């Protein structure tokens, strides 16, 4: 696992946007695994700017998203389909038919099976972008005594519901279940890039980069088994966990 420490969060986002830009330039028909949440928003903003400046062409790129809430449609402003459209896809020259976010409505099990098929359709992701939960969750693979390798329905923990309540009018509106890629799906990507910032992520990042322990109680630690995993953090977070480059 490689750890990159940057000056600040904006610099972290620039590093990751450049990685994605360079991948798309070298492999125009590449496949990207994408994430939602607060962390990747500036990365997507930078990719939009690069696309508008003619630095990167998304016309042949395929994408698959990590997860989607159960019980809200893609038109809902807190659905991850809506998030991806409004934060990225609507502003770049990607063919929306080549973008996949699991359907959060209808038969959830069937939708999870569809996500599982998409993870490997046309080959695995060239790059999987990740955030990390305060409890170490990756996608919606929650800290637990076991993890699941394939796409499935996950019951969200109190910690995740509390963290995501900021995006909803009230906590009771946060869906309690989600469809998520499994840990095996995520580790199947050729390269995995995790970005983190902020003090809330200190315990999770400590477990990820400060020792060699792998535990289902911090799902991010599974990345230690990946040959090409990159963790991008800013100096403030590195100092807070006691990481020295
Ligand atoms: C989102 C996802 C989640 C988030 C995590 C961190 O698709 O899979 O695991 O990456 O909850 O969220 P933020 O970035 O809002 O701190």
């Amino acid at each position: 696992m490689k750890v990159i420490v940057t000056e600040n969060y904006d610099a972290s986002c620039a590093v990751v946007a450049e990685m994605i830009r360079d991948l798309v330039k070298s492999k125009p028909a590449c496949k990207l695994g994408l994430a939602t949440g607060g962390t990747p928003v500036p990365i997507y903003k930078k990719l939009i700017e690069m696309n508008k400046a003619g630095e990167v062409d998304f016309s042949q790129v395929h994408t698959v998203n990590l997860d989607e809430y159960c019980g809200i449609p893609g038109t809902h402003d807190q659905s991850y389909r809506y998030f991806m459209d409004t934060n990225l896809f609507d502003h770049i020259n990607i063919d929306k038919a080549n973008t996949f976010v699991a359907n959060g409505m209808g038969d959830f099990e069937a939708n999870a099976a569809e996500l599982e098929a998409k993870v490997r359709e046309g080959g695995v992701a060239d790059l999987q972008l990740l955030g990390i939960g305060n409890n170490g969750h990756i996608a919606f693979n929650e800290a637990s005594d076991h993890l699941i390798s394939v796409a499935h329905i996950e019951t969200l923990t109190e910690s995740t519901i509390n963290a995501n309540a900021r995006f909803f009018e009230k906590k009771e509106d946060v869906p309690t279940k989600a469809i998520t890629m499994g840990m095996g799906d995520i580790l199947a990507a050729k390269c995995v890039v995790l970005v983190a910032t902020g003090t809330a992520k200190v315990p999770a990042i400590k477990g990820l980069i400060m020792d060699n322990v792998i535990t289902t109680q911090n799902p991010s630690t599974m990345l230690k088994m990946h040959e090409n995993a990159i963790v991008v953090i800013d100096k403030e977070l590195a100092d807070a966990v006691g990481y020295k480059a």
Side-chain angles (χ1 to χ4, degrees):
M1 210 174 57
K2 183 172 161 191
V3 180
I4 297 176
V5 180
T6 65
E7 267 313 300
N8 53 43
Y9 171 46
D10 186 60
S12 294
C13 292
V15 164
V16 176
E18 283 160 19
M19 276 181 204
I20 295 173
R21 177 198 63 195
D22 293 348
L23 168 64
V24 176
K25 281 174 93 163
S26 67
K27 189 176 178 187
C30 67
K31 182 171 176 183
L32 301 175
L34 296 178
T36 61
T39 308
V41 172
I43 299 173
Y44 296 151
K45 278 208 177 92
K46 289 179 194 299
L47 289 173
I48 293 167
E49 284 163 19
M50 289 170 177
N51 184 236
K52 291 207 187 309
E55 284 175 42
V56 59
D57 172 12
F58 290 97
S59 61
Q60 296 178 65
V61 171
H62 284 68
T63 69
V64 180
N65 260 77
L66 287 170
D67 40 22
E68 178 61 285
Y69 287 122
C70 289
I72 58 176
T75 48
H76 188 289
D77 65 4
Q78 289 310 324
S79 74
Y80 287 169
R81 161 51 74 184
Y82 186 91
F83 174 102
M84 289 310 303
D85 286 349
T86 53
N87 283 289
L88 184 65
F89 300 149
D90 285 345
H91 310 290
I92 59 173
N93 70 330
I94 200 162
D95 180 352
K96 280 238 194 120
N98 294 340
T99 70
F100 182 81
V101 184
N103 178 5
M105 298 298 285
D107 182 340
F108 303 144
E109 291 295 343
N111 299 347
E114 190 186 13
L115 171 59
E116 181 62 21
K118 289 285 177 186
V119 168
R120 286 176 178 75
E121 192 180 278
V124 295
D126 294 286
L127 185 150
Q128 175 65 58
L129 180 61
L130 297 175
I132 183 171
N134 298 348
N135 60 358
H137 75 217
I138 294 292
F140 276 125
N141 293 281
E142 295 283 30
S144 162
D145 60 2
H146 68 278
L147 292 169
I148 296 174
S149 59
V150 298
H152 61 282
I153 316 296
E154 188 89 11
T155 300
L156 306 188
T157 60
E158 198 61 22
S159 153
T160 299
I161 291 173
N162 287 336
N164 289 3
R166 71 190 195 277
F167 298 117
F168 291 80
E169 239 170 67
K170 46 187 194 308
K171 185 178 157 187
E172 296 69 50
D173 294 342
V174 184
T176 54
K177 288 185 188 297
I179 296 167
T180 180
M181 281 190 201
M183 287 309 301
D185 296 329
I186 292 160
L187 294 176
K190 291 179 193 162
C191 172
V192 179
V193 181
L194 183 146
V195 191
T197 188
T199 47
K201 306 291 168 74
V202 168
I205 291 294
K206 221 178 218 167
L208 176 58
I209 66 173
M210 295 302 284
D211 61 36
N212 296 315
V213 176
I214 294 169
T215 167
T216 58
Q217 297 300 336
N218 178 347
S220 76
T221 60
M222 300 285 146
L223 299 191
K224 295 177 193 182
M225 292 190 285
H226 198 287
E227 281 297 315
N228 197 9
I230 304 171
V231 177
V232 184
I233 52 173
D234 45 70
K235 198 172 163 305
E236 202 178 322
L237 181 52
D239 288 347
V241 300
Y243 178 81
K244 300 261 175 297

